[in-house]
Amino acid sequence: MGKVVVNSAIHAIKLRKFTNTLLDLLQYSMQAFIKSIQTNKFLIVELLKQNLFTQYKQSKFSLFWIIFNPFFQIIIWSILHYSGFLSVGSVQVPYLIYLVAGMILWWFAFNIYESVSTIYSKYSGIILENRFDLSVLIIEAILRQMIFFMIHLIVLFIICIYFKFHFQSASILYPVLLLPLLFFSVALGLVFAVWRILAVDLAMIFDKMMALLFFITPILYKPTYDNPYKPNFDNPLLSYIIRFNPFTHLILLPRNALIYGELPPIIGILVIYIISFVCMYLALAYFQRMKFKTIEKLLQ
Amino acid sequence: MNTPVLHIEALSKSFSLLGEEHFFQLLFSTRKKTSTQIAPLKNINLSVYKGEIIGILGLNGSGKTTLTRIITGIYEQDAGTIKIDGKVVAIFALRSGFNPLLTGRENIYLKAALFGLNRQEIDQAMEEIIRFSELQEFIDKPLGIYSSGMKAKLGFAILTQVKADLFIIDEALAVGDKLFRQKCMNYLIDHKQQSSVIFITHVHEHLQHFADRILILNNGTFEFESTDYQTAIDYYDTLKNKLPE
């Protein structure tokens, strides 16, 4: 009896210690992240300029490539749809608008994941030879992808103007509804920034999974449904997978608001916000905790 | 004796080899539990005082760069304490952090920002950086056309505008011409009252007439220390002679 009480007390102490450590780490991670933005504004801007202007510096049509490279996929999917090879369901709006509205959100998520998850490999030389806060690289990567997203969004609006498309009042919430997608993509990027160095195979498997995720997220097609957040397919397994794919909800939320003016119940939005924010918070704490170990492994 | 700018006590560092840790331990634990560990630094003690230039000589693999990375906070030590009174700036390679597609001037902004300078400070220092680097003709040309010596000149010129209490120069002056290296060393000697220096190298000639004190790092420990250049070099030469052919 006495032994059980002692064991319970030890477990309680261990649990309290673990909780306190986790809370300290979480608090430190967010504080350090915000402080880093304030103190490293100039370095962030310089890195951003470097990445934006040198990416296509040797090309005479740099803006064209920024737009054309991703939109090349749109041309292919559009051809497949309009030639009848691709069955996309009833999208109720011009398919090009539906497709571009979904694709730009996917690129936004994927590019944030990719650019955040590759910061160790891309900047290994600078990281190993200069002491600076790695949050700078994360913020720069996010800002860079936000700029590309803005360019893509302008193209979407041009397409909408061409089709004389009328937006709904809920469309105005689009920037706010984009945040959960941003939070979740950053979270994935932070975790895989570490795993890309410590467990290369795991990161490579996930890269392949991201390609698969694209097809199990309703971007190219529209599932038939009564409730937009519970997609229904003839194949119940596929319906189940798509329903539990987080990107389904993260992409449907801003896209459906923009092109259909549809909003889920407020409680649904709150749940998506909270889950994605907690994911980012935990990923940031994990990234900070594993920082030294990851840097040490950069040379191995 | 004044208070040290840097005080290191009983510092140790080891690395576990990637691939030898248990999967979950590798991904979630910061502790090292593998059987195979490399220990580049063992029980390091060092104090650097204001106005001092310390030379650290060590053969390849002796732990010089690991020590620099720990002092600057890039790596975390396993044991021991490091007390730093002021700002420490380390230079591993004067050419690192540059982008070959940007011009020399644009790279000044980038590299100086990495050293913690803001736009206003860089704008004020720009002409002095260009003058010190002796690259007036090339400063608006892409860095891709610069020789390694020219990049090193630009790197050191930027460094002259960084305010630090301690500079750690790890093999950074190994490139570039002899005249420019002498110019850099003269600069460091002239400014040693503002910024102490730890000069890390495996070429002992670089320390002659320069270092106030020389420490020999071998197998991760400081084996020998002397204020006399020749005595330190004699010891270093015996270490080199012990190396297999």
Side-chain angles (χ1 to χ4, degrees):
Chain A
M1 179 69 181
K3 200 176 174 182
V4 174
V5 173
V6 171
N7 278 344
S8 306
I10 290 170
H11 285 310
I13 291 167
K14 276 185 181 172
L15 186 67
R16 198 181 308 149
K17 203 176 163 187
F18 173 76
T19 314
N20 287 342
T21 312
L22 186 68
L23 287 174
D24 285 349
L25 195 63
L26 290 175
Q27 192 185 358
Y28 167 78
S29 302
M30 199 46 90
Q31 277 177 352
F33 196 72
I34 292 165
K35 197 179 167 199
S36 178
I37 299 173
Q38 292 167 340
T39 54
N40 293 297
K41 272 183 285 189
F42 182 61
L43 179 57
I44 293 168
V45 171
E46 280 305 307
L47 285 168
L48 191 60
K49 269 165 51 183
Q50 175 198 317
N51 279 316
L52 287 176
F53 297 133
T54 59
Q55 189 171 0
Y56 295 100
K57 194 166 185 175
Q58 287 157 319
S59 158
K60 288 198 189 323
F61 310 106
S62 48
L63 186 64
F64 171 77
W65 291 119
I66 291 173
I67 297 168
F68 182 78
N69 276 343
F71 277 86
F72 184 68
Q73 287 181 48
I74 284 183
I75 294 170
I76 293 171
W77 292 118
S78 299
I79 291 170
L80 286 173
H81 167 64
Y82 288 116
S83 60
F85 281 104
L86 184 69
S87 171
V88 296
S90 171
V91 295
Q92 296 153 321
V93 294
Y95 180 64
L96 197 60
I97 292 177
Y98 181 85
L99 179 64
V100 175
M103 286 292 268
I104 63 171
L105 289 167
W106 175 259
W107 292 327
F108 180 58
F110 182 81
N111 290 342
I112 283 184
Y113 155 75
E114 195 179 38
S115 49
V116 172
S117 72
T118 52
I119 57 171
Y120 277 115
S121 41
K122 183 178 177 186
Y123 294 104
S124 60
I126 295 179
I127 291 169
L128 285 165
E129 296 188 347
N130 296 276
R131 190 197 178 175
F132 65 101
D133 197 332
L134 296 186
S135 309
V136 166
L137 302 177
I138 301 166
I139 295 158
E140 186 278 328
I142 295 168
L143 289 176
R144 184 162 23 104
Q145 296 311 329
M146 286 175 97
I147 290 170
F148 287 140
F149 177 73
M150 294 300 286
I151 294 171
H152 295 158
L153 202 57
I154 290 167
V155 176
L156 172 65
F157 285 134
I158 292 169
I159 294 169
C160 289
I161 291 166
Y162 175 79
F163 281 101
K164 297 186 175 70
F165 181 79
H166 295 286
F167 291 103
Q168 311 287 322
S169 54
S171 306
I172 207 158
L173 292 173
Y174 186 71
V176 183
L177 299 174
L178 203 63
L179 289 177
L181 183 63
L182 170 73
F183 295 155
F184 190 73
S185 310
V186 172
L188 276 181
L190 288 170
V191 171
F192 280 92
V194 176
W195 291 5
R196 211 173 274 284
I197 305 301
L198 298 183
V200 180
D201 295 323
L202 201 62
M204 285 175 81
I205 290 168
F206 191 76
D207 283 348
K208 302 293 172 211
M209 270 186 64
M210 282 295 275
L212 182 67
L213 272 172
F214 172 75
F215 290 101
I216 55 170
T217 306
I219 295 167
L220 302 174
Y221 51 86
K222 190 175 181 191
T224 52
Y225 45 65
D226 300 322
N227 178 341
Y229 296 89
K230 286 184 180 171
N232 183 25
F233 282 86
D234 291 341
N235 183 334
L237 179 65
L238 191 59
S239 292
Y240 190 79
I241 291 171
I242 291 175
R243 195 180 301 174
F244 286 92
N245 167 13
F247 282 106
T248 298
H249 305 279
L250 295 167
I251 286 180
L252 285 189
L253 182 66
R255 189 187 61 184
N256 287 4
L258 184 73
I259 62 175
Y260 299 126
E262 282 176 5
L263 285 175
I266 190 78
I267 189 77
I269 297 177
L270 273 177
V271 168
I272 291 175
Y273 254 89
I274 291 167
I275 291 175
S276 59
F277 188 74
V278 168
C279 284
M280 187 179 74
Y281 212 137
L282 289 171
L284 192 59
Y286 174 71
F287 180 86
Q288 297 278 15
R289 177 180 159 79
M290 300 302 286
K291 183 179 81 175
F292 287 116
K293 187 172 186 176
T294 314
I295 292 174
E296 283 177 18
K297 303 289 181 192
L298 277 176
L299 286 178
Q300 289 187 28
Chain B
M1 191 68 83
N2 54 14
T3 48
V5 182
L6 170 72
H7 182 71
I8 299 175
E9 207 171 300
L11 183 140
S12 294
K13 176 71 188 167
S14 65
F15 293 117
S16 57
L17 291 176
L18 193 64
E20 293 208 347
E21 283 177 87
H22 184 275
F23 191 66
F24 284 98
Q25 189 192 333
L26 174 74
L27 294 186
F28 298 105
S29 170
T30 53
R31 291 184 198 156
K32 300 186 187 78
K33 285 178 184 167
T34 53
S35 53
T36 316
Q37 288 193 1
I38 300 166
L41 294 174
K42 289 161 271 183
N43 195 28
I44 292 283
N45 295 289
L46 173 68
S47 290
V48 181
Y49 295 91
K50 199 169 170 63
E52 245 193 330
I53 296 181
I54 302 278
I56 296 179
L57 264 177
L59 302 168
N60 288 334
S62 56
K64 305 187 294 289
T65 301
T66 303
L67 178 62
T68 311
R69 287 195 175 123
I70 291 174
I71 296 171
T72 44
I74 296 169
Y75 288 168
E76 193 177 41
Q77 73 267 32
D78 294 340
T81 54
I82 301 175
K83 285 179 190 160
I84 296 167
D85 185 15
K87 183 180 174 184
V88 177
V89 170
I91 309 105
F92 296 86
L94 290 169
R95 296 168 292 166
S96 83
F98 284 141
N99 185 327
L101 294 174
L102 299 176
T103 65
R105 195 184 294 273
E106 288 166 335
N107 269 294
I108 290 173
Y109 282 104
L110 180 63
K111 179 93 176 176
L114 278 169
F115 282 137
L117 272 66
N118 60 34
R119 175 173 284 281
Q120 197 185 357
E121 288 167 330
I122 301 169
D123 285 340
Q124 282 171 2
M126 184 58 79
E127 287 314 307
E128 181 53 27
I129 292 171
I130 296 169
R131 191 195 61 76
F132 193 96
S133 68
E134 303 164 1
L135 292 167
Q136 289 87 343
E137 283 177 53
F138 297 92
I139 204 67
D140 291 311
K141 302 262 189 311
L143 211 79
I145 66 159
Y146 286 32
S147 69
S148 54
M150 288 160 82
K151 288 176 198 163
K153 282 180 176 182
L154 189 61
F156 195 88
I158 296 166
L159 188 71
T160 61
Q161 299 304 311
V162 179
K163 305 278 178 286
D165 298 280
L166 175 66
F167 283 120
I168 306 175
I169 300 175
D170 185 353
E171 307 273 14
L173 295 179
V175 289
D177 58 74
K178 201 175 172 184
L179 273 177
F180 190 76
R181 183 160 58 238
Q182 197 53 53
K183 183 178 174 179
C184 297
M185 287 175 160
N186 289 342
Y187 176 88
L188 292 171
I189 292 169
D190 291 345
H191 291 81
K192 72 177 191 176
Q193 286 311 320
Q194 290 94 54
S195 311
S196 306
V197 178
I198 297 178
F199 196 90
I200 298 174
T201 182
H202 68 280
V203 186
H204 63 71
E205 288 86 354
H206 290 171
L207 298 176
Q208 197 171 14
H209 312 303
F210 179 60
D212 300 316
R213 189 156 51 107
I214 297 172
L215 292 99
I216 313 280
L217 186 65
N218 191 36
N219 290 327
T221 52
F222 282 128
E223 280 193 358
F224 190 81
E225 181 180 340
S226 175
T227 52
D228 179 55
Y229 173 75
Q230 197 51 52
T231 314
I233 298 321
D234 289 344
Y235 187 87
Y236 186 58
D237 283 340
T238 55
L239 282 181
K240 279 208 290 193
N241 293 335
K242 281 182 196 167
L243 283 177
E245 288 292 319

